[in-house]
Amino acid sequence: MTAADLWPYAVILFAGWFATDLWRWLGVIAGNRLAEGSEALNWVRAVATALVMAVTAKLIVFPTGSLADSPLWLRLAAAGLGFVAFLATGQRVIVGVVVSLALLSFGLAAL
């Protein structure tokens, strides 16, 4: 394999790195200048939370792979009861995740 054969891979690596890393550094620079309780930072947090929840809802309602074979009621029940466990234990993320996964696993095994 010659250097000419590797050139496209180098371009792809550089373009992928530059496209993401540039925005990360700009975010760090802009974020350092924002006050902790500023409206701009609150808006960024709200948008980030909304995006995470949208992806989560899409995975629950329109799953792919082997999860698509499970019934919607089981996925909704596992997510809902995991959220209740999350709130009941003082907002511990690991508890919500473990409870949801356990309920989903047991539900799939029982079906």
Side-chain angles (χ1 to χ4, degrees):
M1 194 172 272
T2 66
D5 294 334
L6 297 176
W7 178 247
Y9 298 109
V11 170
I12 291 170
L13 283 174
F14 176 76
W17 166 81
F18 185 72
T20 58
D21 213 40
L22 173 70
W23 294 108
R24 288 180 186 159
W25 281 106
L26 288 174
V28 167
I29 291 168
N32 284 337
R33 296 181 183 178
L34 291 174
E36 185 68 28
S38 70
E39 282 298 313
L41 201 54
N42 287 338
W43 180 80
V44 168
R45 285 184 189 135
V47 169
T49 302
L51 287 172
V52 168
M53 289 312 302
V55 169
T56 303
K58 183 180 179 200
L59 288 172
I60 292 170
V61 178
F62 303 111
T64 58
S66 61
L67 193 58
D69 297 333
S70 65
L72 177 62
W73 65 266
L74 178 61
R75 297 189 304 264
L76 289 173
L81 292 173
F83 183 65
V84 168
F86 164 77
L87 292 176
T89 59
Q91 298 184 357
R92 295 178 189 245
V93 175
I94 190 70
V95 173
V97 170
V98 168
V99 168
S100 293
L101 286 175
L103 290 172
L104 188 61
S105 298
F106 289 133
L108 288 174
L111 292 177

